[in-house]
Amino acid sequence: MMRKDYLTILLFLFTLRVGYAQVIKTKLIDQGGSGNYPSIAVTEQSLPDFVVYRPENIEKAAKQQGKLPILVWANGGCMNSSIHQERLLSEIASHGYIIVAIGTLQMTVEERVHESTPDDELLKALDWIAKQARTQSSDYYDKVDLDKIAAGGHSCGGAQTLRIAYDPRIKTYLILNAGMGNMTMAGASSASLPMLHAPIIYMIGGKTDIAYENAVLDYDRISHVPVVFADHTTAGHGATFSEEFGGSFAQMTIDWLDWQFKNKDNSHIFLNNDLSDYPGWTMKAKGFETETGNTAPLEFTPPALEFVCELQVTIDEPMSLGATPHGDRVIIPITGGTFSGPKMKGVVLNGGADYQYRHLDLNRTEVNAIYTIKTDDGVLIHVRNTGLIHEPSEESSEAFYFRAAPTFEAPIDSKYAWLNNAIYVCKPEGKDGYISIQVWKVL
């Protein structure tokens, strides 16, 4: 059943029903990794047969870097345990990624006997994280990016990755110590390669790696998407997973994902063979100049964002005017609040309101919030927020959407005149008793 009722408690939109994913078991690996966001491995009550490697403070990570990219992971041997790759996965997570790995969380290697998993087990991970991204009571709601999903695996897990190569949600592939060649494994074969539709990287452990020849054949056969062949010539089939922070295989994976998903210019590594940080590695690539493979993400650089302030706004009960020629009109009074940021702080004045038009048949709400803020040194600033809510049906694969673009009108003879001369975007988060509106300047 569609949930419309929460739309009635918005600032210039709504109040989110904040909740938490049900974590029932945790594990700390390598002190949380070397990245900016110390990671943990967790078991989620709604996905007990998988491990989620994630920043412990997802909210902080998402606030600092934006929505987190996702990696779904299949294990060596197609096993139901990621314990042999946990140092790799924990390290990736500490750099601002969410990894959903096949297999129940394991505290020690001796804890249980490993078993094989279904060929298409990764689809469960994809479906679960997609649902979490749209569920307001989840820790992952509005904090993961469903447009930035990678699929990867080690050895037989690489075959499980290629088994679902057709899935349109996948935007890049990572095949570690694996390759199909002329064999069939986990429901995948060379016939899976034409199903690839995004850039793919093979990471191999040299000629002693039993997957080496198959990976070479795959690389030669792939011609319709960009492909990279990265070879650690002495690592062998076990790669560097047992090393602290997952060794150079983990760093290579992070550099690849950052290039694909975070607009970090790592083309010098993957296209220009700058391997100064990767002794013992060789690299080759093809397909990045073709129309299909023009995915080197640096031809266009997205604008950066600068944090301006957070408004903590309180609201009153909504007032419904009913149907009008433009939609169902709802007015939500703004009763007060505070705001603070690096260059400004003060209070939100009582008397503003959010004037909404709701189009229930389209599952969308147009918002127009008008209010006034007062700085701590007595300057009044007029604010107008226009935005959009779109709540797709439960049958839709779209994610819930809510964003707005505020404009500021400050006195030109005040020290806040800079607010008049930029474009801003903002996002809401429901808190206990107020709505947090995070405002960013588009640079």
Side-chain angles (χ1 to χ4, degrees), residues 82-191:
S82 58
I83 193 166
H84 294 300
Q85 291 99 51
E86 65 179 10
R87 304 186 88 172
L88 167 98
L89 302 176
S90 174
E91 177 66 11
I92 297 168
S94 76
H95 288 262
Y97 290 89
I98 300 293
I99 298 99
V100 186
I102 295 172
T104 305
L105 180 61
Q106 195 167 349
M107 306 307 286
T108 66
V109 174
E110 300 80 12
E111 186 175 284
R112 59 184 171 85
V113 176
H114 298 152
E115 298 177 352
S116 61
T117 55
D119 297 343
D120 57 358
E121 188 78 347
L122 282 178
L123 295 178
K124 292 183 181 179
L126 287 171
D127 293 341
W128 181 82
I129 195 63
K131 182 176 180 180
Q132 296 301 307
R134 298 191 294 267
T135 302
Q136 295 180 61
S137 59
S138 169
D139 280 347
Y140 308 96
Y141 175 74
D142 204 34
K143 295 180 179 64
V144 295
D145 194 336
L146 296 180
D147 291 325
K148 295 179 179 179
I149 297 178
H154 173 250
S155 192
C156 184
Q160 286 183 302
T161 300
L162 293 171
R163 167 69 177 82
I164 64 163
Y166 61 85
D167 195 297
R169 293 172 290 186
I170 300 171
K171 299 303 187 291
T172 188
Y173 310 86
L174 301 102
I175 310 299
L176 277 61
N177 310 95
M180 299 317 303
N182 295 319
M183 69 183 298
T184 297
M185 178 185 290
S189 68
S190 60

Side-chain angles (χ1 to χ4, degrees), residues 78-363:
C78 294
M79 293 189 306
N80 62 344
S81 173
S82 58
I83 193 166
H84 294 300
Q85 291 99 51
E86 65 179 10
R87 304 186 88 172
L88 167 98
L89 302 176
S90 174
E91 177 66 11
I92 297 168
S94 76
H95 288 262
Y97 290 89
I98 300 293
I99 298 99
V100 186
I102 295 172
T104 305
L105 180 61
Q106 195 167 349
M107 306 307 286
T108 66
V109 174
E110 300 80 12
E111 186 175 284
R112 59 184 171 85
V113 176
H114 298 152
E115 298 177 352
S116 61
T117 55
D119 297 343
D120 57 358
E121 188 78 347
L122 282 178
L123 295 178
K124 292 183 181 179
L126 287 171
D127 293 341
W128 181 82
I129 195 63
K131 182 176 180 180
Q132 296 301 307
R134 298 191 294 267
T135 302
Q136 295 180 61
S137 59
S138 169
D139 280 347
Y140 308 96
Y141 175 74
D142 204 34
K143 295 180 179 64
V144 295
D145 194 336
L146 296 180
D147 291 325
K148 295 179 179 179
I149 297 178
H154 173 250
S155 192
C156 184
Q160 286 183 302
T161 300
L162 293 171
R163 167 69 177 82
I164 64 163
Y166 61 85
D167 195 297
R169 293 172 290 186
I170 300 171
K171 299 303 187 291
T172 188
Y173 310 86
L174 301 102
I175 310 299
L176 277 61
N177 310 95
M180 299 317 303
N182 295 319
M183 69 183 298
T184 297
M185 178 185 290
S189 68
S190 60
S192 303
L193 301 182
M195 303 297 177
L196 296 166
H197 56 85
I200 181 170
I201 183 170
Y202 285 79
M203 295 185 222
I204 304 301
K207 292 184 178 181
T208 62
D209 187 339
I210 59 173
Y212 182 86
E213 295 298 335
N214 284 343
V216 169
L217 281 174
D218 284 10
Y219 178 84
D220 290 341
R221 288 168 174 169
I222 295 171
S223 60
H224 65 294
V225 296
V227 55
V228 168
F229 188 95
D231 183 22
H232 186 313
T233 58
T234 61
H237 192 60
T240 61
F241 303 145
S242 63
E243 297 178 16
E244 186 180 29
F245 307 133
S248 58
F249 268 69
Q251 188 56 56
M252 183 73 74
T253 300
I254 293 164
D255 281 342
W256 173 262
L257 291 173
D258 283 354
W259 188 39
Q260 297 301 308
F261 290 155
K262 295 186 179 180
N263 297 302
K264 184 176 180 180
D265 187 358
N266 287 329
S267 59
H268 62 288
I269 300 172
F270 300 103
L271 303 184
N272 299 326
N273 290 302
D274 179 0
L275 300 175
S276 54
D277 292 332
Y278 291 99
W281 286 77
T282 65
M283 186 81 64
K284 60 182 178 179
K286 64 180 183 179
F288 285 87
E289 301 303 322
T290 66
E291 181 178 353
T292 301
N294 187 20
T295 56
L298 304 164
E299 182 176 353
F300 302 102
T301 302
L305 299 177
E306 177 184 331
F307 180 68
V308 175
C309 68
E310 178 201 26
L311 297 103
Q312 298 184 359
V313 183
T314 58
I315 58 176
D316 207 341
E317 293 295 322
M319 300 180 293
S320 177
L321 275 64
T324 75
H326 302 290
D328 292 344
R329 170 68 89 177
V330 174
I331 300 174
I332 302 175
I334 294 173
T335 59
T338 61
F339 68 93
S340 63
K343 300 179 182 178
M344 55 190 296
K345 64 179 179 178
V347 297
V348 178
L349 299 183
N350 183 17
D354 175 26
Y355 302 90
Q356 299 184 359
Y357 280 126
R358 297 181 184 171
H359 305 276
L360 301 183
D361 55 331
L362 299 176
N363 299 328

Side-chain angles (χ1 to χ4, degrees), residues 2-3 14 20 29 42 54 59 65 83 130 183-184 198 215 227 254 278 305-306 318 321 324 365 368 390 407 437:
M2 294 288 296
R3 295 193 60 87
F14 73 113
Y20 300 92
I29 300 154
V42 306
R54 44 164 278 190
E59 184 172 354
Q65 72 162 45
I83 193 166
M183 69 183 298
T184 297
V227 55
I254 293 164
Y278 291 99
L305 299 177
E306 177 184 331
L321 275 64
T324 75
T365 298
N368 183 22
H390 174 57
T407 58
I437 305 299

